[in-house]
Amino acid sequence: MSHDDVLNPKQMPHDPEKATLEGKNKFLAFWFFLGGETVLFASLFGTYLALNRSTAGENTPENLFGLELVFIMTMLLLTSSLTSVYAMYHMKNHDFKKMQLWLGITVALGLAFLGFEIYEFVHYIHEYEFTFRSSAFGSAFYTLVGFHGGHVLFGLCWIVTLMIRNSKRGLNLYNAPKFYIASLYWHFIDVVWVFIFTVVYLMGKVG
Amino acid sequence: MDNQSQTPQQKVEFERKQHKEEMKQQVISFALMILFTFIAFGMVLLDIGSVFLVPTLLLLAVVQVLFQLYYFMHMKNKGHDMVAVMMYGGLAVAILTIIAFTTIIWW
């Protein structure tokens, strides 16, 4: 690709992520995927809601969950959602360096979230002996929250890969859709988390 | 705005202004989402023993997610009709799945 391909603020299209046919296709296909992800998580939420009272006489949601940690995790993920909005704001203004910086902040916040989640799981397993095999509640809990954590991990790898791959290339019409779609994925992870902290943790504490 | 009569410089400035305006809305959405989160956690910590507690928590979550989808993920912008079809289609199946799981499968 020649220099024509590189976004020149003076003549670049309005929405660089949708300026090419490939970009348009990626955009549409990715939202189709997100529709499917909604159904995937719904099946995990449905399972959790059906089984969270089947505790086999052991740990219940009430005695297990601590809201302080969940609150910190919620704030981290919500803030990382805003920082990826900032990254896309700079992408639309064709400021590659600032976009990379905000994506870097997003990744740091995501890593902190993941660290807290691993700590939480380790804490449950060692302090409470609450594992995947403890009860139907245990299986449903680790599957739902673990699947979300897996999405966070995948999203982090995705964003880091894009940042490294394109670090010397700069922003162009070929990679703008890639960055945009990775940020959509990151927002979707926060969408799922909103329901996890509400349905699993807050409603679990209410009983 | 008539794009034909604009110089490239004017166009860039106009778009930057638009992006700034959108960014402002997104920061406001973020502030509201933080506020909803505080209210939700606060209600649980204060131990409000009301039958309306769980529906209120769910409502707060739904509103927060709508902000996320419409402002952070730009569903409010033009060219998102197919996106809405896919997301609401997914949502319909999602709700059916949850109802089926919680009522029929593990009654």
Side-chain angles (χ1 to χ4, degrees):
Chain A
M1 288 283 159
S2 68
H3 281 284
D4 308 336
D5 194 42
V6 176
L7 287 187
N8 174 0
K10 295 246 155 47
Q11 44 180 272
M12 52 142 263
H14 182 51
D15 285 323
E17 76 277 7
K18 279 179 277 182
T20 60
L21 180 62
E22 191 180 339
K24 282 191 189 104
N25 287 342
K26 280 198 170 115
F27 173 80
L28 211 54
F30 194 75
W31 276 101
F32 186 54
F33 166 73
L34 287 184
E37 287 266 288
T38 310
V39 180
L40 165 78
F41 275 104
S43 71
L44 297 178
F45 272 108
T47 309
Y48 179 81
L49 283 169
L51 297 177
N52 67 349
R53 296 290 139 197
S54 310
T55 56
E58 289 184 25
N59 291 298
T60 61
E62 286 96 329
N63 71 32
L64 203 59
F65 300 148
L67 288 186
E68 298 85 355
L69 193 72
V70 179
F71 184 75
I72 297 169
M73 286 162 76
T74 304
M75 286 300 144
L76 284 171
L77 210 59
L78 189 55
T79 310
S80 81
S81 206
L82 181 76
T83 56
S84 76
V85 165
Y86 270 107
M88 289 309 105
Y89 167 73
H90 289 300
M91 184 198 84
K92 291 197 175 191
N93 285 339
H94 328 296
D95 192 334
F96 181 68
K97 281 204 177 117
K98 278 190 181 155
M99 182 192 80
Q100 290 277 72
L101 173 70
W102 283 102
L103 284 177
I105 297 170
T106 306
V107 167
L109 290 165
L111 275 174
F113 173 89
L114 207 58
F116 276 112
E117 184 148 272
I118 291 167
Y119 166 78
E120 185 197 2
F121 284 5
V122 168
H123 182 72
Y124 290 162
I125 291 166
H126 291 285
E127 305 291 318
Y128 291 88
E129 291 186 11
F130 175 67
T131 69
F132 194 88
R133 289 163 37 155
S134 295
S135 58
F137 161 56
S139 309
F141 171 80
Y142 283 113
T143 310
L144 171 59
V145 182
F147 233 88
H148 175 266
H151 275 71
V152 174
L153 182 63
F154 184 80
L156 288 173
C157 294
W158 186 358
I159 295 174
V160 169
T161 309
L162 280 181
M163 286 173 69
I164 295 171
R165 279 272 294 149
N166 296 295
S167 58
K168 293 202 177 112
R169 208 180 263 166
L171 199 59
N172 56 40
L173 291 186
Y174 172 67
N175 60 27
K178 298 183 179 219
F179 282 110
Y180 186 80
I181 279 160
S183 93
L184 282 182
Y185 186 76
W186 195 255
H187 291 309
F188 187 77
I189 288 172
D190 195 50
V191 165
V192 174
W193 180 255
V194 169
F195 283 110
I196 289 184
F197 87 68
T198 304
V199 172
V200 176
Y201 294 99
L202 291 181
M203 279 164 60
K205 270 292 179 196
V206 173
Chain B
M1 271 289 205
D2 183 13
N3 282 329
Q4 254 57 48
S5 63
Q6 285 178 309
T7 67
Q9 189 54 40
Q10 278 175 322
K11 188 171 159 268
V12 168
E13 269 165 31
F14 173 67
E15 281 173 4
R16 273 180 187 263
K17 222 162 116 190
Q18 266 190 326
H19 296 155
K20 212 169 190 169
E21 192 55 41
E22 189 171 24
M23 197 61 235
K24 211 194 277 168
Q25 292 176 356
Q26 283 164 329
V27 172
I28 293 169
S29 328
F30 176 72
L32 287 171
M33 282 152 74
I34 293 273
L35 180 71
F36 293 146
T37 307
F38 267 94
I39 294 172
F41 275 85
M43 283 197 309
V44 173
L45 287 174
L46 292 174
D47 228 355
I48 302 173
S50 163
V51 282
F52 296 111
L53 180 53
V54 169
T56 312
L57 289 176
L58 287 173
L59 183 69
L60 285 169
V62 169
V63 175
Q64 198 171 325
V65 160
L66 287 177
F67 271 110
Q68 186 85 236
L69 287 170
Y70 278 86
Y71 285 88
F72 279 18
M73 295 167 87
H74 311 286
M75 265 178 77
K76 68 171 177 54
N77 293 2
K78 263 192 276 177
H80 284 70
D81 306 317
M82 263 325 267
V83 168
V85 170
M86 286 160 187
M87 284 312 275
Y88 284 107
L91 187 68
V93 181
I95 289 170
L96 262 181
T97 308
I98 290 175
I99 291 173
F101 277 25
T102 51
T103 58
I104 301 167
I105 298 177
W106 282 293
W107 180 246

